[in-house]
């Protein structure tokens, strides 16, 4: 295992998601497709050809969190970004959401698209889901790229389900400002932008999925033990912003020590969404991910 302590300089650039079937990004327009999988409508984008790279978003977000990097990545990969059930344009059924829910959804989507093997890239909660998928079907997951992975070993000490749900689901403009201050190193501050982001956030998470996941995490469902992490042998790159206001850097440092084949790349002046704030640095990190470490 290797820890890369190089700090990559990054410029913060905050873009807004558009609430339509076309999502604007710096490099591309994301065409959103939907199909019924496992009885539920699942929204996703599928671009490019080559090795498959699947992008898994954070708690309380949707696939638009990848809009800055899908276009560049699709020049050399087949890139799939999905809305997890309960979020974005995917169905929001009244079910008991947990990590396993999303592992099942991920493999059901890959099967529907006739994809046998993939590299998974997950941000925050998406990193935890990627690790669960790699553990359960290691022959289908080739490599992992985890951006500020969260909840890998359950909720952090001192955090309750209510605290997580409240923090991840802002209900007022002041709540949203606090939330943005945790996920961006340089958050947007003008009132119109903050109110628009609050509206999009609340619309994308209208069914209580955040609360259900929070309860599942508090109950310890799908949490890794150190022993299970030690059995994961896929190459893993962990990317972490040095100003992350959600997951402390020490959490990723501890995780890279538990994984047999992992390295950590720190990005300077970036918080919890490095692919949004520093897409060029994020892309450079992915392009340098070795097949073996």
């Amino acid at each position: 295992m290797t820890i890369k302590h190089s700090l990559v300089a990054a410029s913060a650039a905050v873009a807004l998601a558009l609430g339509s079937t076309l999502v604007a990004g710096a490099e591309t327009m994301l065409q959103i497709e939907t199909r019924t999988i496992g009885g539920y409508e699942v929204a996703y984008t599928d671009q490019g050809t080559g090795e498959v790279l699947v992008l898994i978003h954070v708690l309380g977000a949707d696939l638009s969190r990848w809009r800055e990097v899908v276009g560049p990545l699709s020049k050399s990969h087949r890139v799939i970004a999905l809305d997890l059930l309960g979020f974005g344009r995917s169905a929001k059924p009244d079910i008991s959401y947990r990590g396993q829910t999303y592992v099942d959804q991920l493999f059901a989507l890959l099967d529907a698209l006739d994809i046998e093997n993939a590299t998974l890239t997950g941000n925050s909660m998406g990193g935890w889901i990627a690790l669960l998928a790699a553990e359960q079907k290691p022959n289908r997951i080739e490599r992992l790229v985890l951006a500020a992975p969260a909840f890998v070993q359950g909720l952090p000490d001192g955090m309750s389900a209510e605290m997580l749900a409240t923090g991840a689901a802002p209900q007022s403009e002041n709540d949203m400002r606090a939330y943005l201050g945790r996920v961006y190193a340089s958050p947007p501050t003008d009132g119109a932008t903050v109110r628009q982001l609050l509206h999009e956030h609340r619309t994308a998470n209208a069914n209580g999925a955040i609360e259900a996941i929070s309860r599942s995490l508090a109950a310890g469902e799908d949490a890794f033990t150190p022993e299970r992490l030690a059995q994961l042998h896929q190459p893993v790159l962990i990317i972490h912003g040095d100003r992350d206001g959600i997951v402390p850097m020490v959490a990723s440092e501890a995780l890279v020590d538990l994984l047999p084949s992992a390295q950590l790349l720190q990005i300077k002046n970036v918080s919890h969404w490095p692919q949004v704030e520093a897409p060029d640095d994020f892309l450079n990190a992915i392009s340098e991910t070795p097949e073996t470490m």
Side-chain angles (χ1 to χ4, degrees), residues 47-53 70 72-79 119 143 286-287:
Q47 296 186 200
T49 59
E51 179 183 351
V52 177
L53 182 61
V70 168
L73 287 171
S74 67
K75 295 175 182 177
S76 56
H77 295 75
R78 181 180 178 184
V79 181
T119 292
R143 290 182 293 281
I286 289 183
S287 69

Side-chain angles (χ1 to χ4, degrees), residues 2-10 146-149 237-244 247-254 256 263-271 274 278 281-282 284-286 288:
T2 304
I3 299 179
K4 294 176 68 175
H5 286 290
S6 55
L7 293 178
V8 181
L146 314 178
L237 173 66
I238 300 177
I239 302 171
H240 208 116
D242 70 335
R243 294 175 59 185
D244 196 315
V247 178
M249 181 73 71
V250 293
S252 284
E253 291 173 343
V256 81
Q263 64 175 259
L264 172 64
L265 175 64
Q266 303 175 31
I267 301 182
K268 189 176 181 180
N269 297 327
V270 166
S271 185
D281 293 324
F282 185 84
N284 288 337
I286 289 183
E288 296 171 2

Side-chain angles (χ1 to χ4, degrees), residues 131-172:
L131 285 166
L132 287 170
E135 178 189 41
Q136 293 183 25
K137 297 189 179 182
N139 61 314
R140 299 189 64 179
I141 307 304
E142 297 179 348
R143 290 182 293 281
L144 300 171
V145 179
L146 314 178
F151 314 134
V152 175
Q153 294 181 270
L155 287 183
D157 290 341
M159 177 174 284
S160 66
E162 182 179 3
M163 291 169 62
L164 174 60
T166 300
Q171 298 299 311
S172 68

Side-chain angles (χ1 to χ4, degrees), residues 173 176-177 180 190-200:
E173 184 174 337
M176 193 64 188
R177 289 182 184 278
L180 294 172
D190 67 282
T193 298
V194 172
R195 287 189 293 273
Q196 176 64 19
L197 289 171
L198 174 61
H199 171 73
E200 292 171 359

Side-chain angles (χ1 to χ4, degrees), residues 41-112:
E41 286 293 303
V42 173
Y44 63 96
T45 186
D46 184 354
Q47 296 186 200
T49 59
E51 179 183 351
V52 177
L53 182 61
V54 180
L55 311 178
I56 310 170
H57 64 73
V58 305
L59 178 67
D62 58 22
L63 63 82
S64 69
R65 289 294 177 270
W66 302 103
R67 62 192 172 274
E68 303 290 339
V69 298
V70 168
L73 287 171
S74 67
K75 295 175 182 177
S76 56
H77 295 75
R78 181 180 178 184
V79 181
I80 297 166
L82 72 157
D83 281 343
L84 298 173
L85 290 173
F87 301 103
R89 296 165 185 81
S90 285
K92 299 178 176 64
D94 184 12
I95 59 176
S96 298
Y97 294 92
R98 55 184 290 183
Q100 188 62 47
T101 304
Y102 298 125
V103 174
D104 293 342
Q105 180 192 0
L106 171 65
F107 284 118
L109 177 61
L110 293 181
D111 290 343

